[in-house]
Amino acid sequence: MAKSYYDVLGVDKNATQAEIKSAFRKLAKQYHPDVNKTPEAEAKFKEIGEAYATLGDEQKRKQYDQFGHEAYTQGAQGGFGGFGNGGFTSWTSAFDDDIDLGSIFSDLFGGGFGFRSNARRGNRPTKGEDLLVRVNIDFDDAVKGTKKEIKITMDDKCEECNGLGGFNEKTCSTCGGRGRVVKVQQSLFGTFQSETTCPDCAGSGKTFEKKCNKCRGTGHVSQNKTINIDVPAGVDTGTRLRISGKGPAGNNGGENGDIYIEFQVKEHPLFKRDGLDIYLNVPIDIKTAILGGEVEIPTIYENLIVEIKPGTQNEEKLRIKGKGMKDPNSSSKIGDMYIILKVIIPEKLDKNQKEIFSKLDKEDLQNNSEFKNFQKYL
């Protein structure tokens, strides 16, 4: 459940309007992003603003008290649809990058508060977005490493205009090269000025005598690209490989983003992976389990002969050092392989086999400590 607006401001439901305003002023000063540099300050600043936008208005407060927090914030119940474009939305919009918050608080605090909006950097070079590509590979390719050819579609710099978006560059006459224009708006707190991205230059501060026809003025074009990558030995599902500077184009001359290759490794029918270690179930017959012997097993690299000791028990685990997966981040690190021995009991016996087991039954086969501990309670 979301906090009620009263809890957000730290006031009682019977608080006077003056007490609500006082609580808001105190919290707004405490959490203003220009004063409070903690990571959660801006979110808290928005939260208290939303609360005051409702409780600070007597009519909205009555509606809020009548219908409850959930109904009010969702705008789902009768009578609240109109409030979506009222004080609540006008407050939250004040935190968009296009708004200058300094003027909002001038009435409450007598000026002196500013707000450094990231959107004022609209005409600065910005790095392109990062791109995530998921690639399926076989288990054997993950073991040994391989090469992959990947085809992707992404925004790249327009070669026709060199990513500028046009030709014969000039300063935007609408914003004077700032990339921002000032507007006057009405809010819950009265009239205030807001800054928005210039509609003519899209924040770059520049326009062109002729727009590029190939990219339609964006400076970017969608292109199909083929990238060749080396898949290191030992990658696992979820392993990511970063290709720096080969992603989508940046804005206003900014550098390209990065491409992240995320691997999805197909499961193997026999081998199970746990980190760098490999597990394998190995069936052995009852004769080998009792008398011992040798069995040939596969590993992820080659086949091996494993010695089985006499009296081997079902589910017994043997470790084979250094036969696990390689660490893709360290050439010297490698996991181990564990084999789980599965003693297979025959379901059908011929006459001779039955006679052999009948003879075994005459011996004291139940002299094992497991039998003795169990028989104490019989």
Side-chain angles (χ1 to χ4, degrees), residues 356-370:
I356 293 173
F357 281 101
S358 296
K359 291 178 181 178
L360 289 174
D361 185 49
K362 295 177 182 178
E363 304 295 334
D364 190 11
L365 297 177
Q366 295 189 8
N367 199 28
N368 186 281
S369 61
E370 293 286 341

Side-chain angles (χ1 to χ4, degrees), residues 158 160-161 164-166 211-221:
C158 176
E160 188 75 21
C161 63
L164 297 176
K211 184 183 291 187
C212 177
N213 291 327
K214 185 175 181 180
C215 66
R216 297 182 180 179
T218 64
H220 300 163
V221 289

Side-chain angles (χ1 to χ4, degrees), residues 299-315:
T299 75
I300 59 176
Y301 302 109
E302 73 280 318
N303 290 357
L304 292 178
I305 301 297
V306 176
E307 184 75 22
I308 305 298
K309 295 179 181 179
T312 292
Q313 302 297 308
N314 188 44
E315 300 286 341

Side-chain angles (χ1 to χ4, degrees), residues 136-305:
N136 295 320
I137 62 173
D138 292 330
F139 186 88
D140 290 340
D141 287 337
V143 171
K144 302 172 183 177
T146 187
K147 295 183 181 293
K148 274 282 185 179
E149 185 178 86
I150 301 171
K151 295 181 179 180
I152 58 177
T153 301
M154 66 180 185
D155 282 346
D156 203 359
K157 183 172 71 173
C158 176
E159 296 179 357
E160 188 75 21
C161 63
N162 198 31
L164 297 176
F167 308 94
N168 299 327
E169 182 183 291
K170 60 182 181 179
T171 301
C172 177
S173 59
T174 303
C175 64
R178 293 181 63 246
R180 313 284 293 169
V181 291
V182 177
K183 291 182 179 180
V184 177
Q185 296 180 341
Q186 297 292 328
S187 78
L188 179 68
F189 304 105
T191 302
F192 68 95
Q193 289 184 337
S194 65
E195 263 192 12
T196 61
T197 301
C198 176
D200 291 338
C201 66
S204 68
K206 304 168 186 176
T207 57
F208 303 92
E209 291 184 6
K210 182 183 177 182
K211 184 183 291 187
C212 177
N213 291 327
K214 185 175 181 180
C215 66
R216 297 182 180 179
T218 64
H220 300 163
V221 289
S222 181
Q223 290 189 353
N224 297 320
K225 282 194 168 186
T226 299
I227 298 177
N228 294 307
I229 62 169
D230 291 323
V231 181
V235 297
D236 198 1
T237 293
T239 300
R240 288 188 177 183
L241 178 67
R242 178 188 176 196
I243 305 175
S244 180
K246 298 297 183 181
N251 295 315
N252 300 319
E255 62 181 313
N256 285 37
D258 301 329
I259 297 177
Y260 287 87
I261 308 296
E262 183 176 282
F263 298 104
Q264 303 286 328
V265 181
K266 296 178 182 177
E267 292 187 359
H268 193 278
L270 287 181
F271 301 115
K272 303 300 178 185
R273 179 174 181 173
D274 183 11
L276 296 180
D277 294 331
I278 295 294
Y279 287 78
L280 175 67
N281 289 329
V282 176
I284 61 173
D285 58 54
I286 191 169
K287 175 187 171 222
T288 304
I290 294 173
L291 302 178
E294 294 180 340
V295 294
E296 184 178 13
I297 67 165
T299 75
I300 59 176
Y301 302 109
E302 73 280 318
N303 290 357
L304 292 178
I305 301 297

